[in-house]
Every structure is written in structure tokens, then in C-alpha cells.
Amino acid sequence: MKNEAAFAALCGVSPVEFSSGKTTKRRLNRGGNRQANAALYRIVLTRLRWDETTQKYLQHRTEQGKSKRDVIRCLKRYLAREIFTILKTIPDQPKTSRSMN
């Protein structure tokens, strides 16, 4: 993966713009790995239940007029950024071949 956007697309959390009439909104990409997307969703739901900063973020964004579904979409994308940053810090392991003895 070259960058965070590629990782987000792989997880199915890259934003895709769509419009119906006068409104223009974003939805999550329906492509990507469904298991990775489901894992991000579960993490976000857990954070919404137990993490105070995430709860405050939900409250703040709903006061701005966002629906809970839109806030979850934003949180999944943010979480994908966090995970990609962590993955970048892990050094690549050299591949070793087994000896045939």
C-alpha cells in the first residue's frame, strides 16, 4: 500500500461523493475487504460505547447536523488513518527460506 488513501480503499472506508438533486453527500466505498470494514465498524461501535472522547465527538457532530450514520462513517475513516500510521511503523520482516534438511 502506497498511502493512507489506498489502505482506506482496501478497507472500504474511502469516501465516494454522490448526489440526488440539490444535495451532495459522501458515502463509503462499497468495494474493499468486507471483513476489514466490519472490523473497523466493530471498533467504532466499541469506542462509541466506552471512549469518552469518541462520545464527545459524536455529540459535537450531531449538534452540527450530522446523522449518527455519517458520524460512524467519519470515525471509520479516522480509524483507518490511525491503523495505517501504526502499520507504517512496523518494520518489514525479511523473508527467510527454510532449509530442506
Side-chain angles (χ1 to χ4, degrees), residues 1-55:
M1 290 169 283
K2 295 180 181 179
N3 55 24
E4 179 266 326
F7 179 72
L10 176 68
C11 293
V13 294
S14 58
V16 176
E17 292 194 13
F18 72 97
S19 63
S20 61
K22 296 180 182 178
T23 61
T24 301
K25 294 185 178 183
R26 290 184 180 96
R27 66 169 174 80
L28 292 180
N29 187 356
R30 287 187 168 82
N33 188 318
R34 293 174 60 87
Q35 290 177 334
N37 192 315
L40 292 175
Y41 181 74
R42 286 186 200 104
I43 293 168
V44 166
L45 289 184
T46 303
R47 283 186 176 187
L48 282 172
R49 182 166 183 161
W50 300 105
D51 185 34
E52 290 181 24
T53 55
T54 308
Q55 293 169 357

Side-chain angles (χ1 to χ4, degrees), residues 36-77:
N37 192 315
L40 292 175
Y41 181 74
R42 286 186 200 104
I43 293 168
V44 166
L45 289 184
T46 303
R47 283 186 176 187
L48 282 172
R49 182 166 183 161
W50 300 105
D51 185 34
E52 290 181 24
T53 55
T54 308
Q55 293 169 357
K56 289 178 185 177
Y57 180 80
L58 173 67
Q59 182 181 6
H60 174 71
R61 295 295 283 203
T62 52
E63 289 171 357
Q64 290 180 340
K66 296 274 187 188
S67 67
K68 186 173 181 179
R69 185 176 181 179
D70 286 339
V71 175
I72 290 173
R73 176 187 60 80
C74 295
L75 286 168
K76 284 167 63 175
R77 178 61 190 249

